[in-house]
Amino acid sequence: VQLQASGGGLVQAGGSLRLSCAASGGSLSLYSVGWFRQAPGKEREFVGVTSWGGGVTNLADSVKGRFTISRDNAKKTVDLQMNSLNPEDTAVYYCAATRGRFSSGFNSLHQNAFANWGQGTLVTVSS
């Protein structure tokens, strides 16, 4: 499956943005989809993941209560809704897919768990 992230842009602190990850070349229903981000000069970090088969979602502590992940298997999209954005959220955001299935209860996941990656979309939050 191929992925393409979109929806990035410039937003003021406190604002909202919705990113979308569109899949092609296969069914999304049997893939878990994760979101990662990479700020300038920093390593790529986990944001959240939605698992296939029930849609269990796990989020990093830094975004809990502000970000949500939703998926539409029929449309083959996974969205990342970002609210209450702050300048520390500025990064290139990537979506990634894996056939692995996840349970609930964790707040971090290594990028090596994901085999399929889309191009990133830049999110800039101004203060």
Side-chain angles (χ1 to χ4, degrees):
V1 65
Q2 292 79 46
L3 305 174
Q4 179 64 53
S6 62
L10 175 64
V11 62
Q12 289 188 331
S16 299
L17 209 57
R18 189 177 184 90
L19 306 183
S20 186
C21 179
S24 61
S27 173
L28 195 60
S29 60
L30 292 179
Y31 285 87
S32 296
V33 176
W35 286 94
F36 288 77
R37 66 186 181 184
Q38 188 165 18
K42 295 187 177 181
E43 294 186 353
R44 191 171 297 184
E45 66 173 2
F46 172 75
V47 174
V49 61
T50 175
S51 181
W52 68 269
V56 171
T57 299
N58 290 279
L59 295 166
D61 288 344
S62 59
V63 305
K64 278 180 183 176
R66 301 187 299 123
F67 291 13
T68 58
I69 299 176
S70 61
R71 66 189 296 159
D72 188 327
N73 289 332
K75 294 182 178 179
K76 296 200 286 188
T77 58
V78 174
D79 290 350
L80 178 68
Q81 177 66 43
M82 306 185 295
N83 300 326
S84 302
L85 286 162
N86 57 63
E88 289 70 38
D89 296 315
T90 294
V92 177
Y93 283 72
Y94 300 88
C95 60
T98 178
R99 291 297 302 271
R101 188 173 178 180
F102 302 100
S103 60
S104 61
F106 61 86
N107 57 11
S108 184
L109 198 59
H110 199 278
Q111 59 180 328
N112 288 349
F114 295 83
N116 304 68
W117 288 83
Q119 290 183 323
T121 185
L122 176 63
V123 172
T124 304
V125 184
S126 63
S127 57

